[in-house]
Amino acid sequence: MYHTYVVVLVTGSSGTVGRAVAAAICTTARLGLAAGLTDDVRTVTGRAPATERQTLTRERGVGTHPRRSVVEVAVLGGTGRTGRAVVAELLRRGHDVAVLARDPATLGDAAASVRVVRGDSRDAGALTELTAGVDAVVSALGPVGREPTLHRDTAAALVPVLQQAGVTRFVGVSGAGIDVPGDRKSRRDRLISALVQRLGGAVVADKPAEHAVFAASDLDWTLVRPPRLTDGPATGRVEHHASESCRGTRIGRADLAAFLVDCVEQHLYPRRAPLVAAAR
Ligand SMILES: NC(=O)c1ccc[n+]([C@@H]2O[C@H](COP(=O)([O-])OP(=O)(O)OC[C@H]3O[C@@H](n4cnc5c(N)ncnc54)[C@H](OP(=O)(O)O)[C@@H]3O)[C@@H](O)[C@H]2O)c1
């Protein structure tokens, strides 16, 4: 359901004309003459009007009340190793979850607990269906096979879809080997990053290209940069910084997933690319 909030300033509203204008506006609303739904918001702003839930979420302040403000979260890469952990963590914390899956069968038991949208992450139609009514998007996408431009192509398709849907929050996984402006990495990590970028080829080059797409947008994005990913149970011990290196050189996917969900719920690092690793 959509509501339109109108704020009218009538100078001299205590005067006869001001009172008449105010009365006319109130009467129009009371008689339901303003009840029709128009396309005016989209025409003027280029965006869909916010739903009632999105408005309430925003007015309650995303992050001010962790674990209550964000209700439904869409997940890209939810069939992957990190993505499955993200879906499990979101469900554990009581969120509604929508998952984009090329093959829904690969979701296993989780399929019964989430809204599943079949499709490719570069397909604007599938992304539109996925993000309808959600409060945030988390991406744990990773190229499977020969998809060297997966991240930038997905970002290019997703940004206008989110703008159109009025969804501003995006949290994705990048990599610690990527440099962004303002970095103050240690000598060790500067060396590792140089090697990763030199030897990583197109797949690694795709991450800064993705960053460029989000940085050029007006979205409230966060691109988390983990080092080497490992499997195993969550430890709950994570170190993260906006621009300095972490001491750790790896992180478990379950811990990374919990940090991604923290970023959404607590509104951590808006328009930043934090470095994260298992705390030593
Ligand atoms: N491995 C590391 O040490 C390391 C280090 C730092 C950062 N990272 C980054 O961490 C992220 C997650 O890695 P991971 O190993 O957990 O990933 P993963 O297990 O390989 O999962 C990749 C996910 O992306 C999905 N996907 C790929 N192409 C897609 C497309 N065109 N449309 C829709 N979905 C698509 C896959 O779906 P399907 O099930 O349909 O294939 C799968 O769900 C990646 O971005 C990776 O670069 C990894």
Side-chain angles (χ1 to χ4, degrees):
M1 178 190 287
Y2 295 101
H3 283 296
T4 303
Y5 297 93
V6 181
V7 177
V8 184
L9 293 178
V10 183
T11 349
S13 59
S14 56
T16 313
V17 176
R19 279 205 303 275
V21 171
I25 291 169
C26 292
T27 306
T28 303
R30 183 165 277 200
L31 294 177
L33 299 176
L37 195 60
T38 72
D39 212 22
D40 293 348
V41 171
R42 193 188 297 274
T43 304
V44 173
T45 66
R47 296 182 180 190
T51 63
E52 184 174 328
R53 189 170 66 187
Q54 287 167 337
T55 303
L56 287 172
T57 297
R58 196 165 51 237
E59 289 177 359
R60 282 154 63 189
V62 174
T64 323
H65 304 287
R67 301 169 197 220
R68 278 190 287 133
S69 308
V70 176
V71 181
E72 182 170 359
V73 180
V75 180
L76 303 178
T79 56
R81 289 162 290 178
T82 304
R84 281 198 298 269
V86 169
V87 171
E89 185 64 15
L90 285 166
L91 291 173
R92 194 182 70 76
R93 297 193 197 183
H95 293 285
D96 294 337
V97 180
V99 179
L100 184 76
R102 292 189 288 194
D103 176 6
T106 56
L107 271 170
D109 292 345
S113 309
V114 302
R115 176 167 66 86
V116 184
V117 174
R118 181 192 288 268
D120 189 285
S121 64
R122 298 160 291 189
D123 174 4
L127 293 173
T128 301
E129 187 182 345
L130 179 80
T131 57
V134 306
D135 305 293
V137 176
V138 174
S139 173
L141 274 181
V144 178
R146 295 177 66 80
E147 295 172 311
T149 59
L150 173 70
H151 292 291
R152 79 189 76 171
D153 293 346
T154 298
L158 184 62
V159 166
V161 165
L162 294 184
Q163 288 169 333
Q164 191 72 8
V167 179
T168 57
R169 189 69 175 127
F170 171 86
V171 176
V173 181
S174 181
I178 304 313
D179 296 330
V180 303
D183 270 355
R184 295 196 299 276
K185 287 182 175 176
S186 64
R187 185 194 293 253
R188 176 201 73 184
D189 282 2
R190 287 203 303 274
L191 182 63
I192 294 174
S193 297
L195 285 172
V196 166
Q197 289 165 32
R198 180 169 284 244
L199 303 175
V203 170
V204 170
D206 195 25
K207 299 281 193 180
E210 172 193 38
H211 179 273
V213 174
F214 283 110
S217 79
D218 60 354
L219 294 181
D220 206 358
W221 54 270
T222 301
L223 284 168
V224 173
R225 290 182 289 167
R228 189 159 73 83
L229 303 184
T230 59
D231 294 315
T235 67
R237 299 184 63 243
V238 165
E239 176 193 4
H240 51 90
H241 307 286
S243 5
E244 277 105 26
S245 291
C246 296
R247 291 180 63 214
T249 54
R250 63 188 66 182
I251 185 170
R253 287 182 168 89
D255 282 328
L256 174 60
F259 180 67
L260 294 169
V261 177
D262 286 348
C263 284
V264 171
E265 290 184 334
Q266 299 171 32
H267 202 188
L268 303 177
Y269 298 112
R271 298 187 67 80
R272 303 296 296 263
L275 292 153
V276 61
R280 281 184 171 170

